[in-house]
Amino acid sequence: MSTSRSGARAGLVQITLAGLLWGTTGVVVQIIRKHTGLSAISIGFYRLAIAALFLLALQFRTLPALVRAVRASPARLILVGVGLGAYQASYFISVAAVGVSLSTMVSLGVAPVCIAVWESVVARRTPSRLTVGSLTTGIAGLALITSAGGHTTTGAQRPLLGLVAAVVSGVGYAASTVLSRHVSQRTPAMTLTTVSCVFGALALLPFALISGLGFPAEPGAVSDLVYIGVVATAIAYALFYGGLRVTAGSVAAVLTLLEPLTAAVLAVLVLGEPLSVLEAL
């Protein structure tokens, strides 16, 4: 019993750390866009490609195990990877359109709602009062954030596109989390992270080639790309997938709400984005 409890606590800590690391991504992406001119999709591709290369290098001696994992459940692993690429690209598009704070709050606010509804449908039982209360609060918060008068973010030229992309990202994140939890029960976290990043990068590659992959190879831009690839992706997703083995999807999605808090604070401190009173609440 104590072993299972300690494992559950470790899972919660892992997912919490992953959420904090993800919270730094939006701000770094804005900095990369400013200095390189890369599109959101191209940055998403670089993020996953760098993470994939880093993880493959770490597991070079165990590549046969990666191949066996793909052969064991190819469809699910490919879907997880494609979903990973799709919702990240949607999130970056939203960040470019309406800024970090709003994009992160909407995308990460939608996800727990979707996951909780899905788990209730699968379990064929009505959600608990705690779940309903959490969902109601989340929906009310999203409504206040998106309808707050006078809310703008630095460079917000396409608010509708930004909000739609954020919602798409949230739904994609929810679907990927549900699917990842099933796969993580029989696939090691590092293996799942590596394969997901490989397939995610391959899924984004055609679109990134169209958008353009060239940029001035300045040390700052390169180091920022390496950061979001290695730290905010490879390490963060390894922690997340490891935590998912012992944590319900809905709980994981709620824990990762630390991401919008982190992103909002960094957006104000680093990018100077305004934070309305409603968002602060």
Side-chain angles (χ1 to χ4, degrees), residues 142-205:
L142 287 177
L144 288 172
I145 291 170
T146 55
S147 63
H151 179 279
T152 59
T153 54
T154 304
Q157 302 293 330
R158 296 164 292 176
L160 181 58
L161 171 64
L163 290 175
V164 170
V167 172
V168 170
S169 176
V171 173
Y173 171 69
S176 182
T177 299
V178 170
L179 185 57
S180 298
R181 188 172 191 279
H182 290 295
V183 179
S184 68
Q185 302 305 309
R186 55 181 181 275
T187 306
M190 286 292 286
T191 299
L192 177 56
T193 307
T194 303
V195 175
S196 299
C197 289
V198 169
F199 285 128
L202 290 175
L204 290 181
L205 178 57

Side-chain angles (χ1 to χ4, degrees), residues 26-177:
V27 170
V28 179
V29 166
Q30 287 290 60
I31 294 173
I32 293 172
R33 287 184 63 249
K34 180 180 179 180
H35 290 99
T36 66
L38 287 169
S39 70
I41 293 178
S42 296
I43 295 174
F45 164 76
Y46 274 122
R47 178 186 186 184
L48 293 179
I50 291 170
L53 291 173
F54 172 75
L55 291 167
L56 287 171
L58 285 182
Q59 301 180 84
F60 180 76
R61 295 183 179 181
T62 59
L63 288 181
L66 292 174
V67 175
R68 287 194 297 271
V70 175
R71 288 179 176 175
S73 53
R76 288 188 175 184
L77 286 172
I78 291 173
L79 283 175
V80 170
V82 172
L84 180 64
Y87 82 70
Q88 286 193 38
S90 299
Y91 170 67
F92 290 164
I93 289 171
S94 180
V95 166
V98 295
V100 177
S101 302
L102 188 58
S103 299
T104 311
M105 288 181 178
V106 173
S107 62
L108 268 295
V110 167
V113 176
C114 295
I115 294 175
V117 169
W118 172 259
E119 289 181 348
S120 296
V121 170
V122 171
R124 295 183 179 179
R125 64 168 182 264
T126 57
S128 65
R129 291 183 178 179
L130 178 60
T131 300
V132 172
S134 299
L135 295 181
T136 302
T137 302
I139 293 172
L142 287 177
L144 288 172
I145 291 170
T146 55
S147 63
H151 179 279
T152 59
T153 54
T154 304
Q157 302 293 330
R158 296 164 292 176
L160 181 58
L161 171 64
L163 290 175
V164 170
V167 172
V168 170
S169 176
V171 173
Y173 171 69
S176 182
T177 299

